[in-house]
Amino acid sequence: MTTQPSNEHNTVVPTCYRHPGRETYVRCQRCDRPICPDCMRDASVGFQCPECVAEGNKGVRQAQSVFGGRAVTTPRVTWALLVINVLAYAAETVRTDWVLTNFMMNAYEVGYHGEWWRLITGAFLHQPLGGGGWALTHIVFNMWALYAIGPELERRLGSARFLTLYLLAALGGSVAVYLFGIAAVGASGAIYGMFAALFVLAKKLGYNAQGVLWLIGANAVITFVVPGISWQGHLGGLITGALVAAVFAFAPARKNRSAIQWGGCAAVLVVLVALVLGLPPFAVQAELGIFG
């Protein structure tokens, strides 16, 4: 008489392909591999494993913004820029002299000591409290403008393109200060770049841009009427923002649009860097009596 082995000992319990120590009787609907609860992803029927979900998403076209960037639901770049500006102002309030000495835009330090970082860091600082004039108004207005306009531009352009616009406009304002000014602080170059971008995009989309023109005009009057405001930074940011926005808006939609857009931004950056490398700080030279 022979005895048959029990089926209980012959049955192999399947385990998750990603977690071999976990028993499971659920299988991926696409690849049929066993998956544990941590690896289950809801599918139209049953569950799929993470790899099959990722593979399936490759064939799904990502939603895009109007001008080619990835669609934005939450303007995270705008909020991040707001936070950075406010934190920089807090640091400036605590250690005013140290922050301004080392990070404000100063044409002499950039031109003769090679402190290039000031071209960007100066755009995140503002008139310090106790500095006289419109100290608190300076950051309040700039942050209000970023809060009011930033989300709309970020949704139209996509987060990466909006950040590029903001930083290049800020750099353009600083380059203008380097060439024709002495020193300055503030995000106004970037904000004026946003004003210009709003106008360019409105014209491209066929919207009424009269309100934007009034906004730019009113701020231009303030720039030249109120003393102590850097017209160089405002004008440099305005021109740079308009150029970058035009690159984003008018790149042909069906012919390598992204390559043209990023190539155009790179060209703007090269021009700005070349201006600083190739030209002296004219206003500083005039003040110091340096000629040639």
Side-chain angles (χ1 to χ4, degrees), residues 252-272:
R254 299 183 181 275
K255 293 184 178 181
N256 300 318
R257 175 163 67 175
S258 291
I260 294 172
Q261 288 174 334
W262 293 119
C265 291
V268 172
L269 176 61
V270 168
V271 169
L272 293 175

Side-chain angles (χ1 to χ4, degrees), residues 54-141:
E55 186 66 28
N57 287 338
K58 290 180 181 179
V60 178
R61 185 176 181 180
Q62 296 292 330
Q64 288 191 329
S65 64
V66 178
F67 297 103
R70 184 170 295 181
V72 173
T73 54
T74 303
R76 291 186 174 87
V77 169
T78 299
W79 307 145
L81 289 170
L82 276 164
V83 169
I84 293 171
N85 275 279
V86 171
L87 289 178
Y89 194 69
E92 186 181 352
T93 302
V94 173
R95 298 193 62 185
T96 304
D97 292 339
W98 182 83
V99 171
L100 292 180
T101 299
N102 290 283
F103 299 105
M104 74 179 294
M105 176 54 206
N106 185 303
Y108 180 85
E109 299 296 343
V110 172
Y112 295 103
H113 291 161
E115 297 182 1
W116 281 60
W117 62 85
R118 294 175 181 271
L119 294 165
I120 290 296
T121 57
F124 288 92
L125 302 177
H126 288 83
Q127 184 76 13
L129 289 173
W134 59 312
L136 192 58
T137 307
H138 191 198
I139 187 171
V140 169
F141 172 79

